[in-house]
Every structure is written in structure tokens, then in C-alpha cells.
Amino acid sequence: MIISNIYKRAFNVLSKMPFKLWGLSLLSSLLTILVLVFGVLPIVIVPVIAVLSAGMAAVYLDGFNGKEVYSDQLFKAFKDFWRTAGGMCWKKLWIFIWFLVPIAGPFIAVSKYYAYSFTPYILNEEKSVNATAALRKSMQDTNGYKLQMFCAEFIPNLLIYAVMAILALLSKIPFVGILFAVITVIVQLVYTLFAPLFFGLVHAGFYEYAKTPIKSTTYSAPQAPQTPQAQSAPVQTPVQAPVQPQTTKQAAPTENDTPKPITCPVCDSVNAPNTHFCYKCGSKLD
């Protein structure tokens, strides 16, 4: 259910600003190439590229939340360069170390990749968390989401590659094969241009859902709170002592204090109080 909601939201965002997101992604790629060409030293190249990737994660998160995206957001992480670079490099180092484990290393590395995937968002959004603590917090926040994140990324990619393989086989058919060859090229082009954007939004969506999880797809209206019983007056003792001030009764919560369900403006579904996204259609709730 969470995957379908995130997919809907990601498709909605991508359909509204495809060229803006693609342009920022292209800018990030060009800057990465420039760093690789002119950086010379790995000690310069690695942290700068890591901070650029954190900036792109900020773009995806703002886009998923329905905000306008600008090139300024791409350089957001440079305002806290050393902390962000340290956290991102620490993340990549640990994934590489886990990969070196004999036999099971690649599988552990994949699991750790998703366990550490919230690191750039934490570094961007939670300034009080230091570089190494960001990884530990990411592991806590991704608990219960890693398998869903893997399926949300692996299964669509597997289906796309299967479709392209079938089209490649059909392109071998005489005469009509040229048509399938053209379709194959178009599918590969669209996939290359927009798949990274879509999955970047999906990753940001999981981070947003992890902050405000929806535990159930059904929602019952909250019950009215019970009025607390009045506190009895303290018993006066005959001993000589300063007179204790009388305790005042706590005011019973009013109807306005009770959290109210939120109705989705798109599909009219009733959502739990204080949720940010519709459980049914994935639309952002004001």
C-alpha cells in the first residue's frame, strides 16, 4: 500500500515538472564530470561529488513534497560542507566494507545500501545530527522499510529490462523487426532520462513516509475523551502549618482540542489526524 501511494505521488510530481527535474539532474551530472576532470586528487573529487549527491537528494525531497525546485537546492549541502561530506563518505565507506565480506558480502552491501539510504535527507534536514550519527539514525528510520524500498526499485527495473529484452528479440524478425528496433530505442531513451528521477522521488517518498507512518489503511473516528474526575480537596490536619493553596480543577478538553480526521481534497478519503499524505491516492494533505 505504501509503495503504491509513493508511486502515485512520484508520478504526479514527475508529470508536473519533468524538464525542471531533468535539468537539475543534468546540471548535477555535468558538475560531477567537471569535478572528475579538474579535481585531480581523490581527496577533492570524492567529497565534492558526495555533497552534490546530497544536494540532489534535497531536490527530490522538496519535489516530492510539492515544493518548487531550483538550482539553489542543489548547492544546499555545501553550506555545511564538511559535515555533509563526512556523512556521505562514511556511508559509502561502510557499504564498500560490507561488500568485501566473503560470499555474503554483495547481499549484505545491498541491505546496507537501503539501511543507509536516508543519510542524505537526515544530513540536510536535521542539522543537530553529526556525520556518523546520521548513519545510525538512518538504520533506525529504515527499519521495516528496507524490503519495500528494494522491491519498489528492483521489480520495476526488472520488468523494464525484460520488456527491452523481448523487444530486442522481436527486432530480429524480418521486415517488421525495424519497428521493434525503433520502439526499443525509444524505451531505452525514456528509461535513461526519467528512471533516475522517478526512483529519486521514490526514495525521498520513503523518507517522508518514515517520518509520518500510516499504520493502517482503515480509519475510525476518534472517540471523545472522557472528562477527568474532579480532584477531591485535600484533608485539613489539625497541626499548625501554613495553609495550603486550594488546587484548581483542570478544565476538561473541549471539542476543538480533539484531533480531527483530515479529508483528502482529491479523492475525499478520510485520513488520520496529523497525516501529511492521503493513504488512498497519495496526495499531499494541507
Side-chain angles (χ1 to χ4, degrees):
M1 185 65 183
I2 292 178
I3 295 177
S4 63
N5 288 341
I6 292 176
Y7 273 3
K8 290 176 184 177
R9 181 64 181 168
F11 273 120
N12 185 32
V13 172
L14 190 57
S15 63
K16 290 181 178 179
M17 55 178 78
F19 297 108
K20 184 175 290 188
L21 286 172
W22 182 80
L24 290 174
S25 177
L26 179 61
L27 177 60
S28 177
S29 300
L30 291 176
L31 291 173
T32 300
I33 293 173
L34 290 175
V35 172
L36 289 171
V37 172
F38 298 104
V40 182
L41 297 176
I43 197 173
V44 176
I45 294 173
V46 174
V48 172
I49 292 178
V51 175
L52 279 173
S53 64
M56 198 64 207
V59 171
Y60 289 134
L61 183 61
D62 285 344
F64 186 85
N65 286 325
K67 300 178 182 178
E68 288 293 330
V69 293
Y70 304 98
S71 59
D72 294 347
Q73 294 155 312
L74 188 61
F75 302 99
K76 178 180 180 180
F78 282 90
K79 296 179 180 179
D80 197 359
F81 180 85
W82 294 112
R83 172 177 161 274
T84 305
M88 296 298 292
C89 292
W90 193 240
K91 166 192 171 185
K92 294 179 184 298
L93 177 62
W94 271 107
I95 293 174
F96 177 72
I97 292 174
W98 285 112
F99 182 81
L100 296 178
V101 175
I103 303 175
F107 301 100
I108 299 176
V110 170
S111 175
K112 294 300 180 181
Y113 167 79
Y114 288 103
Y116 302 153
S117 61
F118 287 175
T119 301
Y121 309 112
I122 294 171
L123 292 171
N124 287 328
E125 299 294 318
E126 304 180 34
K127 301 299 183 182
S128 61
V129 180
N130 61 38
T132 55
L135 264 71
R136 294 193 295 270
K137 190 173 190 311
S138 178
M139 288 189 289
Q140 294 174 357
D141 293 348
T142 55
N143 187 30
Y145 290 94
K146 290 190 290 290
L147 181 59
Q148 295 182 74
M149 295 170 69
F150 172 77
C151 293
E153 189 170 10
F154 177 75
I155 294 177
N157 279 292
L158 182 63
L159 293 175
I160 290 294
Y161 282 120
V163 169
M164 288 193 292
I166 294 173
L167 290 173
L169 292 175
L170 293 175
S171 65
K172 304 297 182 181
I173 301 175
F175 304 111
V176 297
I178 186 66
L179 175 62
F180 291 107
V182 172
I183 296 175
T184 302
V185 172
I186 295 174
V187 171
Q188 290 177 338
L189 182 62
V190 173
Y191 176 80
T192 302
L193 292 178
F194 295 106
L197 308 181
F198 176 75
F199 290 114
L201 292 169
V202 169
H203 274 211
F206 273 104
Y207 171 74
E208 193 65 31
Y209 267 77
K211 292 197 303 182
T212 55
I214 299 176
K215 297 182 179 179
S216 175
T217 57
T218 59
Y219 173 72
S220 57
Q223 297 179 354
Q226 297 180 354
T227 304
Q229 296 180 355
Q231 298 179 358
S232 58
V235 179
Q236 299 293 334
T237 57
V239 298
Q240 295 180 355
V243 178
Q244 298 294 328
Q246 295 182 355
T247 58
T248 57
K249 298 181 181 180
Q250 296 181 351
T254 61
E255 184 179 357
N256 292 331
D257 296 330
T258 304
K260 296 182 179 180
I262 303 174
T263 302
C264 177
V266 177
C267 64
D268 294 329
S269 299
V270 178
N271 295 266
N274 301 324
T275 53
H276 297 285
F277 299 94
C278 177
Y279 77 88
K280 186 173 182 181
C281 69
S283 299
K284 186 174 179 64
L285 303 174
D286 294 332

